[in-house]
Amino acid sequence: MAKTTQMTEKRCYSVSDLQEMLEISKPAVYELIKRKEFHWVMIGGRYKISKRSFDEWLDGSFERNQSSSEAMESI
């Protein structure tokens, strides 16, 4: 039973997942990918974003100063 739970837990996110979680546009997600804010791979022509690197990036964003937050809002 525990193995099934582990298999269904996501290890990576799609662009749509990030778009929904961050409540930003799809082009804004692509801009984050382009800026290499977190680790990603392309599989079958689609971006797959590492859950761990995304979570670390998101957690780290709370530690940034106000100017960095303003930069994110401009995306």
Side-chain angles (χ1 to χ4, degrees), residues 13-69:
Y13 295 126
S14 67
V15 169
S16 297
D17 290 335
L18 268 58
Q19 181 183 0
E20 185 178 319
M21 285 187 287
L22 297 174
E23 298 178 354
I24 60 175
S25 68
K26 194 170 280 194
V29 175
Y30 287 120
E31 181 62 28
L32 291 170
I33 289 170
K34 180 180 158 186
R35 291 189 340 208
K36 299 179 181 177
E37 294 290 336
F38 28 75
H39 180 73
W40 56 268
V41 295
M42 186 169 277
I43 301 174
R46 294 179 182 226
Y47 290 101
K48 296 297 179 180
I49 297 95
S50 159
K51 179 184 183 310
R52 183 180 356 175
S53 71
F54 172 77
D55 291 345
E56 288 172 359
W57 171 81
L58 186 61
D59 291 342
S61 70
F62 290 111
E63 297 171 5
R64 294 181 184 175
N65 61 29
Q66 184 61 28
S67 63
S68 295
S69 297

